[in-house]
Amino acid sequence: MSSDPVLRRILAAYGLHNGTLSAVQKGYRNESHAVTLEDGRRLNLILYKSEPGIVAKIKNAEYVASWLHDHGLVVRTQTDKRIVHLQSHHRHKYGALYSYLPGKTIPWEAYTQTHIKALGGALSDMHAALTDLPRRQGGQVANEYLALQKRMHRYFTSPNVCAAMEAKLGLQLPQRTLSGLVRLLKLAEGLPGQHWLHMDFVRGNILFAGERISGVIDFEKCAWGHPLFDIARTLAFLIVDCKYKSEEKVRKYFLHSGYTKRGASSFTNIRLITEHGDINILESMIDMFLVYDFYKFLLHNPYEYLGQNEHYLRTVELLTKRQLAKRIQVVV
């Protein structure tokens, strides 16, 4: 058993007085402790960082994951519905106990075409299973990203940020890029065929055993929206980070060989004719996620070191190729 008295008290609250814990694995919004019980069973104790609405996120995640589990998909679910609440020095933290899934995550550059096809097929099966799950409470993806766009707009229109981007990165983000994303999200609010989505179906949340997916975890970003949001989120990462495969092959493996041929759903894109022209919804959503990832790179890293980050560099290459960002000559 871990010598950490807090972890011991949490496990005791769940009736687990004996067992061992492995080293902690820290994620974006949580830390995970693998628990091995005396009878050999394994569980995951997850402690969540304090953030607005985290309890609702935990409950919605379990609502979606339990439904998928009951429909035969291998996903991580709570083994005890109670949520632990820790409070110290006016700080709050929440935790829950989950099933343990075998397998491991692998880096994007190690994905073979079989991995990519399996990824598409698994997302397709997930979407098919979620079609009939009632909405109840939960955010809508379009609304959540509209709120994000407001923060991005404030950031990218700041005179200091614009000057630093030009001087240090040699980049400009045209106003039309941001306004186009807002128009997309307002259109997406009214798209038919919406249901629950994972919204974080990316490398760190997909467990593999060889080239077979052995589990899907972390549903805390799940929300209500059109399945193209989920597809675009995953595809944006694949296009950037599967550096040893062409974009054409990544799309073919993920969308057609995987999502449509291996899964229970069929991929259908949407094109809309508006006063601003012909809008390809999938491509516009990919644009949105690329800009959002670019924003996160800038927000969390010193500009001077971004040139050493190959994921950032490939994101910028795509942004300029898709005419979402503009390179400018830096005057020394």
Side-chain angles (χ1 to χ4, degrees):
M1 176 65 72
S2 167
S3 59
D4 188 319
V6 174
L7 293 178
R8 285 206 308 270
R9 288 201 302 271
I10 294 173
L11 291 174
Y14 285 114
L16 303 175
H17 300 280
N18 297 295
T20 58
L21 286 90
S22 65
V24 61
Q25 292 185 339
K26 295 190 176 183
Y28 172 73
R29 60 160 43 93
N30 61 49
E31 57 184 52
S32 175
H33 301 263
V35 183
T36 304
L37 305 180
E38 285 187 310
D39 60 7
R41 289 184 299 128
R42 302 189 77 182
L43 302 171
N44 267 116
L45 172 63
I46 298 181
L47 299 181
Y48 292 90
K49 296 177 182 178
S50 179
E51 63 176 272
I54 187 61
V55 174
K57 287 182 173 69
I58 296 170
K59 290 181 178 180
N60 281 333
E62 179 59 17
Y63 177 63
V64 172
S66 292
W67 176 273
L68 292 172
H69 177 268
D70 292 344
H71 284 72
L73 280 74
V74 184
V75 298
R76 187 165 67 191
T77 57
Q78 287 179 231
T79 58
D80 190 307
K81 300 302 181 184
R82 291 175 293 173
I83 298 174
V84 171
H85 178 201
L86 308 176
Q87 182 177 358
S88 62
H89 305 295
H90 306 291
R91 302 179 71 178
H92 297 262
K93 182 177 284 190
Y94 296 88
L97 198 63
Y98 293 86
S99 57
Y100 179 89
L101 297 179
K104 61 182 181 179
T105 60
I106 57 176
W108 286 123
E109 56 265 27
Y111 269 50
T112 64
Q113 70 177 56
T114 303
H115 286 119
I116 299 173
K117 290 176 182 178
L119 198 67
L123 184 59
S124 178
D125 287 342
M126 183 177 295
H127 285 168
L130 290 173
T131 301
D132 296 324
L133 178 61
R135 180 174 181 179
R136 75 166 201 180
Q137 295 180 340
Q140 187 183 42
V141 178
N143 290 334
E144 292 179 1
Y145 274 88
L146 276 169
L148 282 171
Q149 292 300 321
K150 290 181 180 178
R151 297 204 294 270
M152 289 169 57
H153 184 271
R154 288 195 297 269
Y155 182 85
F156 284 119
T157 56
S158 162
N160 291 336
V161 170
C162 292
M165 283 178 57
E166 293 180 10
K168 298 179 180 181
L169 304 176
L171 290 171
Q172 289 179 338
L173 199 71
Q175 174 60 39
R176 58 177 170 76
T177 294
L178 297 175
S179 57
L181 301 184
V182 171
R183 286 196 296 271
L184 164 71
L185 289 166
K186 289 183 176 179
L187 286 171
E189 286 180 301
L191 291 176
Q194 298 191 37
H195 55 67
W196 282 99
L197 308 173
H198 187 286
M199 285 311 298
D200 204 17
F201 199 80
V202 297
R203 186 193 68 80
N205 296 328
I206 312 298
L207 304 176
F208 278 95
E211 291 184 314
R212 177 184 61 83
I213 291 179
S214 58
V216 179
I217 61 176
D218 287 3
F219 284 78
E220 284 75 28
K221 288 186 180 180
C222 67
W224 189 266
H226 194 278
L228 284 174
F229 273 115
D230 248 351
I231 293 169
R233 172 69 287 188
T234 305
L235 195 52
F237 273 113
L238 287 170
I239 292 170
V240 170
D241 292 335
C242 289
K243 62 181 181 180
Y244 298 119
K245 294 173 180 61
S246 68
E247 180 177 339
E248 179 184 7
K249 287 188 176 180
V250 167
R251 287 173 178 268
K252 177 183 176 183
Y253 299 153
F254 179 70
L255 289 176
H256 303 292
S257 303
Y259 193 91
T260 297
K261 291 186 177 180
R262 290 193 175 198
S265 303
S266 294
F267 167 70
T268 303
N269 194 9
I270 298 174
R271 301 183 78 103
L272 297 175
I273 305 298
T274 73
E275 60 182 312
H276 299 284
D278 183 3
I279 297 181
N280 182 318
I281 297 296
L282 175 64
E283 296 307 316
S284 296
M285 287 182 176
I286 292 173
D287 287 347
M288 180 188 71
F289 287 118
L290 291 173
V291 173
Y292 176 56
D293 291 338
F294 175 67
Y295 165 69
K296 289 190 295 182
F297 278 124
L298 270 58
L299 200 62
H300 300 300
N301 298 278
Y303 286 12
E304 292 81 1
Y305 299 112
L306 284 170
Q308 302 170 26
N309 187 316
E310 61 177 331
H311 304 285
Y312 162 81
L313 293 175
R314 289 201 295 274
T315 299
V316 169
E317 182 181 351
L318 277 170
L319 289 174
T320 54
K321 178 181 176 182
R322 298 167 78 96
Q323 299 183 329
L324 299 167
K326 180 182 178 181
R327 295 187 188 274
I328 61 171
Q329 187 69 36
V330 178
V331 179
V332 181

